[in-house]
Amino acid sequence: MPKLLSLIISLTFGLTSIIAQSPPQSDSRMYDIIDAVSAERIQGDIEKLVSFGTRHTLSDTVSNERGIGAARRWIKSEFESISESCDNCLEVKYHKGLVKEGESRRIPTETWIVNVLAIKRGSQFPNRYIIMSGDIDSRVSNPLDGESDSPGANDNASGMAGVIEAARVLSKYDFPCSIIFAGLSGEEQGLFGGKFLAADAKDAGWDIIGVLNNDMIGNIHGIDGVIDNTSFRIFSEPMPPNSSEQALIWNRFYGGETDGPSRQLARYVDKMTSQYCTNLKGTMIYRLDRFGRGGHHRPFNDEGFPGIRIMETHENYTMQHQDIRTENGIAYGDVIEGVDFDYAAKLTGVNAICLAGLAWAPKQPAFVMIGGAVKPSTKLKWDPVDDENIHGYKVYWRNTTSPQWEFSKWVGKNTDVTLKNIIIDNYLFGVASVNSQGNESVVVYPKTLIPRR
Ligand SMILES: [Zn+2]
């Protein structure tokens, strides 16, 4: 028996010397993060945002009681008080851009678009960012009406409150990468706050892992009559809009038309939801946004950054962009009665674990190459990740018609992998990097062929 035991030990050690031990399948901190999100605090924040009467981009900026100026000052002060309670762990600031007269039909006079940012600076990679965004501004029927009551309780005080709550919860943790909690403005007038921030991020050379844009995360009573608090939608574009002709040729012959960076981010959010969230299902929608409609992730996509929209499954159009009124017995208006705070808290929890997971995860593998045509096995190769948090890599594959990664293999620190008897023709492949606690990067889809010798 002792001989057998020593044989087992030597075999085990022999193996671990080749392949580092696989990390844990889950990170228990994720459950703590979800539990820490408070529906009561989210309700309080939505009530506060609604109390400013209107947050229209063209509304009063001077009053401390009414208008978008009062709203953004309150958001900034809220971030500052969160920061005070975590030993000044957040950099809180305004971020501005000017829309000049005549630049937009929806902004008739020169107007400052003012975002509010709270940055939890990464300890090791301060320039690598994961962003959660919501919107400050609201609107009613006439997009130019900056005077009428425009509570915007669901659109988008719900998203803004989610961002503030995620900042509260994640301020208790430290991360190697930076997290930005962003209140964006000018969304309803033409996505201006996002455009200004995305352009400045590009100029400053920010390495953006992804943008989780939250726009309407509180409605569970759909116009379709369905009441559902157990699902939400994740919108993502298939490929970046600025994809090169070469990328299109690659897609045609090697695949990848449903594997752009934003789509991989959507898969990440969907996977995290399945893994950690009880009684909540992410539904990936394979398009940029709702049919012909827009959101604040788009300007980031336009600049080449991955970004997705997170929102309720069932919208109620009588409660969006409407003057508050009753017509033919139907009550119109985006009032607070239309928001389910527990549901908004659930979706905030999804955001928080994805922010944490990505801010803890190592850098993505780069220069991922693939090969194996007319061979019995598929080969993948990539550059080792230069990040001390790397514990190893996971290779993923799925059937070509499957929306989500179906199969995976832990390969330790190997960066040259053969998947035996997996025929390249029948699957799509990707690689993620993993830290010692099991936190994974977004999957990278290969874009180069392994050179033949
Ligand atoms: Zn809207």
Side-chain angles (χ1 to χ4, degrees):
M1 274 312 261
K3 260 187 191 169
L4 183 63
L5 195 66
S6 73
L7 180 69
I8 290 167
I9 288 168
S10 69
L11 267 176
T12 312
F13 278 92
L15 275 175
T16 51
S17 67
I18 302 163
I19 296 184
Q21 197 123 47
S22 69
Q25 292 298 304
S26 66
D27 183 339
S28 63
R29 292 173 296 183
M30 297 301 178
Y31 299 106
D32 302 336
I33 288 170
I34 290 168
D35 286 347
V37 173
S38 158
E40 289 73 28
R41 285 193 298 260
I42 287 173
Q43 176 175 359
D45 291 346
I46 295 175
E47 283 167 354
K48 184 71 191 177
L49 288 161
V50 167
S51 79
F52 296 111
T54 174
R55 302 184 309 280
H56 193 279
T57 299
L58 305 173
S59 65
D60 193 332
T61 58
V62 180
S63 162
N64 271 328
E65 282 84 44
R66 188 177 175 86
I68 194 163
R72 68 192 174 222
R73 283 190 290 282
W74 175 77
I75 292 166
K76 184 163 180 274
S77 74
E78 202 55 34
F79 279 141
E80 282 163 349
S81 79
I82 295 167
S83 188
E84 269 167 41
S85 63
C86 62
D87 205 14
N88 297 315
C89 75
L90 300 177
E91 298 163 27
V92 181
K93 57 186 167 196
Y94 290 128
H95 170 271
K96 299 180 192 185
L98 186 66
V99 180
K100 299 202 185 87
E101 197 174 322
E103 259 182 64
S104 163
R105 273 189 299 137
R106 286 194 178 179
I107 301 185
T109 53
E110 187 171 272
T111 303
W112 281 101
I113 304 295
V114 184
N115 302 320
V116 186
L117 306 181
I119 305 173
K120 177 112 181 58
R121 189 63 67 181
S123 55
Q124 284 172 271
F125 306 102
N127 195 46
R128 202 188 299 163
Y129 298 93
I130 171 84
I131 300 174
M132 177 182 181
S133 63
D135 304 304
I136 303 171
D137 62 308
S138 63
R139 64 164 283 191
V140 285
S141 301
N142 173 4
L144 295 173
D145 181 354
E147 299 290 330
S148 300
D149 275 347
S150 177
N154 191 45
D155 183 12
N156 187 12
S158 66
M160 188 67 243
V163 170
I164 296 169
E165 179 63 5
R168 284 189 194 103
V169 170
L170 297 184
S171 64
K172 309 280 186 286
Y173 297 85
D174 283 315
F175 304 95
C177 304
S178 296
I179 301 175
I180 303 184
F181 303 95
L184 302 178
S185 196
E187 196 267 346
E188 304 290 6
Q189 309 313 107
L191 311 176
F192 284 101
K195 277 181 199 166
F196 287 127
L197 185 59
D200 286 350
K202 191 165 190 189
D203 287 347
W206 287 8
D207 176 5
I208 297 183
I209 300 164
V211 177
L212 309 181
N213 179 42
N214 287 257
D215 196 345
M216 295 190 268
I217 60 167
N219 184 67
I220 63 167
H221 292 249
I223 194 102
D224 51 8
V226 177
I227 301 173
D228 172 21
N229 65 355
T230 62
S231 75
F232 69 102
R233 291 180 290 176
I234 311 162
F235 287 89
S236 63
E237 63 179 10
M239 289 283 295
N242 51 5
S243 294
S244 63
E245 197 169 331
Q246 212 182 347
L248 297 178
I249 292 168
W250 174 269
N251 287 352
R252 187 169 183 215
F253 294 103
Y254 308 112
E257 61 272 31
T258 59
D259 279 271
S262 294
R263 182 62 48 76
Q264 305 301 356
L265 180 62
R267 289 195 181 106
Y268 177 88
V269 173
D270 179 56
K271 184 184 111 166
M272 290 291 280
T273 307
S274 310
Q275 184 171 359
Y276 292 107
C277 300
T278 314
N279 199 21
L280 185 64
K281 191 189 175 315
T283 304
M284 281 191 286
I285 308 284
Y286 268 29
R287 58 186 356 153
L288 169 66
D289 206 318
R290 286 86 34 84
F291 190 86
R293 303 177 72 195
H296 250 150
H297 54 307
R298 188 173 100 208
F300 291 91
N301 293 163
D302 289 340
E303 295 287 5
F305 297 122
I308 58 166
R309 178 186 186 123
I310 290 174
M311 77 176 300
E312 63 216 21
T313 303
H314 300 278
E315 291 180 67
N316 191 335
Y317 312 115
T318 59
M319 304 187 86
Q320 292 174 15
H321 305 178
Q322 298 281 356
D323 290 337
I324 300 172
R325 67 191 192 281
T326 302
E327 224 174 79
N328 302 324
I330 297 168
Y332 289 86
D334 190 354
V335 293
I336 197 149
E337 288 74 18
V339 180
D340 187 287
F341 309 111
D342 290 318
Y343 179 68
K346 278 194 196 184
L347 270 54
T348 300
V350 170
N351 279 270
I353 59 170
C354 291
L355 295 172
L358 291 171
W360 275 320
K363 203 177 167 71
Q364 278 188 313
F367 303 108
V368 181
M369 298 188 284
I370 189 163
V374 295
K375 297 264 165 55
S377 303
T378 298
K379 280 178 81 68
L380 287 149
K381 231 175 143 170
W382 57 93
D383 283 0
V385 169
D386 180 22
D387 181 334
E388 65 186 67
N389 302 310
I390 188 86
H391 184 65
Y393 305 93
K394 223 164 161 180
V395 172
Y396 280 93
W397 66 103
R398 67 180 203 271
N399 283 289
T400 58
T401 49
S402 170
Q404 183 58 282
W405 298 109
E406 295 173 290
F407 314 103
S408 67
K409 185 183 180 192
W410 166 252
V411 297
K413 283 201 169 137
N414 290 338
T415 59
D416 185 345
V417 170
T418 301
L419 296 169
K420 279 194 186 141
N421 295 326
I422 302 288
I423 301 288
I424 195 169
D425 307 330
N426 303 339
Y427 303 96
L428 297 164
F429 299 85
V431 186
S433 48
V434 189
N435 78 357
S436 59
Q437 275 145 318
N439 301 120
E440 297 183 20
S441 73
V442 174
V443 172
V444 182
Y445 189 81
K447 284 188 198 144
T448 317
L449 289 177
I450 295 171
R452 283 189 211 184
R453 268 172 287 201

